[in-house]
Structure formats: C-alpha cells, structure tokens
C-alpha cells in the first residue's frame, strides 16, 4: 500500500470557504470555537462538561437502550451506551442520510473518521471515555436523494411513492431492488456476503430507519459505533425549551441571518449554504413533514388544513414533542443538546452550513462543537496504478480537469514543442521598441501599437491551439487512455467517493476493506488521502 496526501485546495473539489477554514485563515475565527487540533479538545471537554446535565445523560441512555432493544450488537457498543451515564464520557459524532445500501462511498469515510478520532482522543486523554456516534437523518423527507446507489456506473434505484420522513418508510418493494443488485454482482464469496447483508437489512426490517441501523451496526459494531435516531419522544422532550425560542422568538432566524451577512462581507466567493426561516421546524405526523409557518399570530402547517393558536401549539409541543422536526438549521442544535458531544465530523457542504450557526448556539446558550472535515480518499487499484505509471501521471496530475490533463500530457509526450511562450516573449520585446518609437514621435499611435500587439498574440494563441489539436489527433490513442483512466478514478468527473458505493470496493477487498480504512485514515490530518494498492 502506497500512501500519498494532497492539500484539499490542490484537488480542485473543495470550496474556498472550506479550504480557508482548514488552513486557519484568521478572518474566519469568529465562525467557530475550537479549531480541530488535538490539544484543543481539553478546553472543549471542560466547556461541554460544565453544560451537560446528569439528567440529560440518563434520558439519552434510556432512549438508546430502547432503540437497540431488538438489535444484536457487540459488547463494545453496549459498553459505550452504558458509559454515557458517566460524566467523564463524551461523544464525537457524524451524521448521514438513510441512503439505500449506504449510498456514496464517503458514508464509510465519515464513520471511520469518527471511530478513529475517538481512539486518538482516548490515547491522549486517558481519564475520559469517547464514544463514536452515527446520527441517522431519519426525519429527512428528500426521498429522491436517498433512494438509489451506483454500482459500476449503473444506478440501482428504489421506485416508490413516498412522503413524510424517510425513516418511517416501509421497506416493501426493496425485494425488486435486491433482485437487480443480486443479478449484477456475481457469485463470489464477497458477493454472497453483500447479498446477505442487503437481505438482512432491507428485506427483514419493516422500515428504513431499522434497516439502516442494522446495516451500520453490522459494518461497525466491532468498533463500538453507537447509532442515534433523533426521531424519539424522550430525546425531543429535551429540545422543547429550544423549540419554543425558535417558534415564538425567532432566535435562530435572527442570529443566523446576521452571521450570513458577516460571511458575505468576508468574501463574496464563500457563498451561503443554507438560509434560515422564521421558524426552523417541520410538523411531523401521519406521513407528512411540512413546514410550520406563522401568519397574524396563528400557526399553520404548510400545504395542509392544520392550524394552531399559540396556546394550542404550545400544548401540542409539550404533549407530542416528537411531532416537531428540526430543519437543517435546527438539527445541529438538537444534536448538541442531547449528546455530550465534542466534535462534529462532516463533509465540506455540511461544515459550510455549520460555520453559519455559531451565533445561534450562543443565543441558545449551547456549546458549539469542534468542526472537523471528514477524511476524503481516492483508492487506486493495482491495475489502475500500472496504467498511471505507463502514462507517467502523478497523483497531483490525476486531479486536473480532463482537458487540462490531456493538454499537459500531450505536450510532454509530443515530439514537437507546442509551447509558444518563447515566441510571445520575443514578440513583447519587439513591440517594446515600437512603444518607445511611438512615445517619441506621436503618442496617439500608442493605441494602434497596442491593438497590433494584442492581435498578433491572439494569432499565436490560435495557432498554438490548432497545433495542439492536430497533435491530439496524431496521439489519439494516448488521449483515449488518459480519458479512460481519469474516468475510472473520477466517474462523472466527480470524486470517486461521491459516486461509488462501498459494495464495488468490497467485491475486490472483502472483509479487509474496513480494517484498511481504519488503519490509514487519520482524522486530524487535514489533507486529501490517496491510497494506492501495489
């Protein structure tokens, strides 16, 4: 195994905001609390410990035990759940949608990053316990985002009429998806494992939440992973005081809106990931998950006939807190209210919206967690490595956009030098004399000289491009091979981890896949990882 690292900025796949954040740009310090360095966790531990109650721990453990009542898990996971009673136990957390069969490959990277961070923290702060947590986004309602996974370039999709929270969805109909998948992956030992895993998760559990819990538990139970479903009456009860502030005081809307204005002033290229609403909660009941909106002192459930007075809504909240579902702005707060959490591990898009939320946490008097960019990985097989070596493509080269990669390599292998930089420099020197002459005789000719220089430079550019195009045709086989290898490693001109499903790698590596990731992913090394299998 050969390991290489690239700065995230050099990959070209991460936003300016995230690159500036992981490079600790000073102008961003107001957007977060502690930066993700090992020595900063001590302060985070003290802050969280001072702001998390014993009663909250009891409620959390009670809910987790109820959620795990029918789940066969490891002794380590059971010990981790029980340890949350203790005031010296803290969590590190990642979250993800209930994507079919884990969805994109980075589902694994998120959880492995979380598990490995918990291990590193235990090695450094031995007096404390650290529990890796996967938060299931069971209340999301974007079914089209989670109802498929890709396998060897083919989209395997679950077609179903769906509404409300995806975690409530019946798994009925997934037997058809299984048949398609089963007929695609062959009959090897590793293929049989994947078939059995899919069957046990989706064909033997009644809804998507239970199926996803089974799947994540099977993959990571030996590492002590604890899986949390926030769609829970008792856990939501802990959130009630904060829901009130959002419903009736618009605390999140005011604070996040102000922070967005600050971010836009910092740099217009940062962009805004999410915008807050006056009310950042949905109403969740009987297959619906619709926004709560307020008009003229009355509260309506969007696109339904349901409405409440303020008093009625308060009574509903106190009696049925599980019916109040946080949106993307409120969900991070919910997580930090119910977990003794130190750090949230997420992708670039997730961290971009978390960086908008610190003021909201301060207004709600909830500690803001450390934000850590999850590990990102490109895995290169032995055969792919051979192709890269033959084409003399470096790991840095392969991250170039396809046309840039082709242009660079064609210039390198061409038997003629298609680079007109020397000619352009010579042209500039020639025109310098013309500028001097015009300056001494008639300055009105300076514009004409400049126009002529621009015209001739454009002519050289055009000629250079035509010659390069002709050379590409001449070296067509080389272009085809360059295109083929980059399309293998960056399917759809996107990162491998955003397109491939873990099953594709499991077929090749089997039960060694997750141990390989656990061995090589260092969550506090803020670089893009390239794993080359030799």
């Amino acid at each position: 195994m050969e390991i290489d690292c690239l700065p995230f900025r050099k990959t070209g796949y991460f936003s300016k905001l995230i690159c500036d954040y992981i490079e600790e740009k000073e102008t961003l310090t107001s957007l977060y609390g502690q930066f993700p360095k090992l020595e900063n966790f001590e302060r985070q531990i003290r802050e969280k410990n001072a702001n998390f109650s014993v009663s909250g721990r009891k409620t959390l453990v009670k809910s987790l035990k109820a959620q795990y009542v029918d789940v066969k898990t490891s002794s380590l996971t059971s010990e981790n759940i029980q340890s949350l009673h203790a005031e010296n136990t803290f969590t590190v957390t990642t979250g993800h949608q209930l994507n079919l069969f884990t969805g994109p490959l980075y589902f694994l990277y998120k959880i492995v990053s979380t598990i490995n961070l918990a291990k590193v923290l235990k090695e450094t702060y031995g007096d404390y316990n650290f529990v890796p947590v996967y938060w299931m986004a069971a209340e999301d309602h974007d079914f089209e985002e989670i109802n498929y996974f890709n396998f060897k370039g083919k989209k395997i999709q679950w077609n179903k009429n769906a509404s409300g929270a995806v975690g409530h969805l019946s798994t009925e109909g997934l037997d058809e998806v299984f048949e398609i998948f089963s007929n695609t992956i062959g009959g090897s030992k590793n293929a049989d494992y994947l078939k059995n895993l899919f069957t046990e998760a989706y064909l033997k559990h009644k809804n998507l939440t239970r199926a996803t819990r089974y799947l994540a538990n099977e993959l990571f139970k030996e590492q002590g992973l604890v899986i949390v479903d926030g769609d829970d009456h008792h856990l939501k009860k802990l959130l009630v005081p904060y829901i009130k502030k959002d419903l009736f005081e618009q605390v999140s809307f005011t604070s996040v809106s102000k922070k967005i204005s600050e971010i836009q002033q910092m740099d217009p290229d940062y962009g805004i990931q999410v915008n807050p609403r006056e009310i950042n909660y949905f109403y969740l009941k009987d297959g619906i998950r619709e926004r709560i909106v307020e008009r003229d002192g009355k509260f309506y459930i969007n696109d339904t006939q349901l409405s409440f007075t303020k008093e009625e809504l308060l009574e509903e909240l106190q009696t049925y807190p599980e019916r109040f579902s946080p949106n993307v702005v409120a969900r991070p707060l919910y997580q930090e209210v119910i977990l003794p959490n130190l750090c949230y591990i997420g992708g670039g898009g997730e961290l971009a919206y978390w960086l908008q939320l610190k003021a909201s946490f301060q207004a709600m008097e909830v500690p803001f967690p450390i934000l850590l960019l999850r590990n990102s990985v490109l895995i290169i097989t032995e055969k792919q490595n051979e192709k890269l070596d033959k084409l003399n493509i470096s790991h840095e080269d392969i991250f170039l956009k396809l046309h840039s990669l082709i242009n660079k390599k064609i210039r390198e292998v061409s038997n003629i030098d298609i680079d007109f930089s020397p000619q352009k420099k010579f042209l500039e020197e020639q025109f310098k004399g013309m500028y001097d002459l015009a300056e001494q005789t008639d300055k009105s000719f300076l514009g004409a000289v400049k126009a002529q220089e621009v015209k001739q430079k454009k002519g050289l550019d055009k000629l250079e491009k035509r010659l390069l195009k002709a050379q590409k045709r001449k070296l067509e086989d080389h272009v085809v091979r360059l295109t083929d290898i980059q399309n293998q490693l960056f399917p759809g001109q996107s990162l491998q981890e955003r397109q491939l499903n873990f099953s594709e790698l499991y077929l090749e590596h089997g039960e060694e896949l997750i141990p390989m990731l656990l061995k090589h992913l260092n969550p506090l090394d803020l670089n893009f990882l390239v794993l080359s299998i030799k």
Side-chain angles (χ1 to χ4, degrees), residues 41 44-46 48-49 90-93 121 129-130 336 339-344 368-371:
F41 279 87
Q44 195 72 23
I45 289 170
R46 289 200 301 267
K48 192 66 181 185
N49 200 30
F90 299 91
T91 63
V92 290
T93 302
L121 291 175
N129 302 313
F130 303 94
E336 297 303 312
L339 293 176
N341 195 50
L342 303 176
C343 178
Y344 183 75
F368 194 65
I370 292 174
L371 301 178

Side-chain angles (χ1 to χ4, degrees), residues 137-333:
E139 296 176 58
D140 280 4
H141 62 274
D142 295 320
F143 181 66
E144 290 74 16
E145 291 185 5
I146 60 100
N147 69 336
Y148 70 93
F149 62 97
N150 296 316
F151 182 80
K152 294 190 175 181
K154 183 178 181 180
K155 188 175 184 178
I156 298 178
Q157 186 167 326
W158 179 21
N159 296 308
K160 181 184 182 76
N161 291 324
S163 63
V166 295
H168 296 179
L169 291 177
S170 166
T171 52
E172 185 179 353
L174 279 170
D175 52 338
E176 298 174 8
V177 176
F178 172 73
E179 287 301 318
I180 295 170
F181 180 55
S182 178
N183 293 333
T184 304
I185 64 173
S188 67
K189 176 185 173 183
N190 292 340
D192 287 342
Y193 170 82
L194 292 169
K195 292 174 189 177
N196 183 65
L197 184 62
F198 191 104
T199 299
E200 292 293 326
Y202 294 102
L203 307 188
K204 295 186 179 181
H205 290 85
K206 66 180 182 180
N207 64 36
L208 200 54
T209 292
R210 290 176 180 268
T212 304
R213 183 187 295 277
Y214 175 88
L215 179 62
N217 181 65
E218 280 300 301
L219 292 173
F220 294 106
K221 63 185 178 183
E222 298 306 324
Q223 302 301 321
L225 182 70
V226 173
I227 302 162
V228 176
D229 178 9
D231 188 9
D232 181 289
H233 172 88
H234 297 289
L235 295 178
K236 287 279 182 72
K237 200 81 175 174
L238 299 175
L239 189 63
V240 167
Y242 306 94
I243 299 177
K244 287 180 182 178
K245 289 184 179 182
D246 193 288
L247 289 174
F248 307 122
E249 300 176 37
Q250 299 185 347
V251 170
S252 294
F253 176 74
T254 302
S255 55
V256 176
S257 296
K258 183 179 179 182
K259 185 58 66 176
I260 286 173
S261 297
E262 292 178 18
I263 293 171
Q264 290 174 325
Q265 291 173 12
M266 288 177 186
D267 192 323
D269 291 334
Y270 283 162
I272 299 303
Q273 195 71 14
V274 295
N275 285 292
R277 296 186 181 277
E278 286 83 357
I279 295 175
N280 293 286
Y281 286 84
F282 294 88
Y283 188 72
L284 180 64
K285 183 184 177 184
D286 299 335
I288 66 166
R289 185 176 184 258
E290 294 291 345
R291 289 191 298 114
I292 304 171
V293 294
E294 185 268 335
R295 291 194 298 270
D296 301 323
K298 197 164 185 179
F299 297 84
Y300 298 87
I301 309 306
N302 199 47
D303 289 336
T304 76
Q305 300 299 313
L306 296 171
S307 64
F308 300 88
T309 64
K310 180 178 179 180
E311 292 73 22
E312 290 169 340
L313 194 64
L314 269 170
E315 183 178 351
E316 186 82 357
L317 175 59
Q318 294 291 353
T319 309
Y320 304 107
E322 68 275 12
R323 294 179 181 176
F324 292 77
S325 178
N327 72 1
V328 67
V329 169
R331 193 211 64 76
L333 180 78

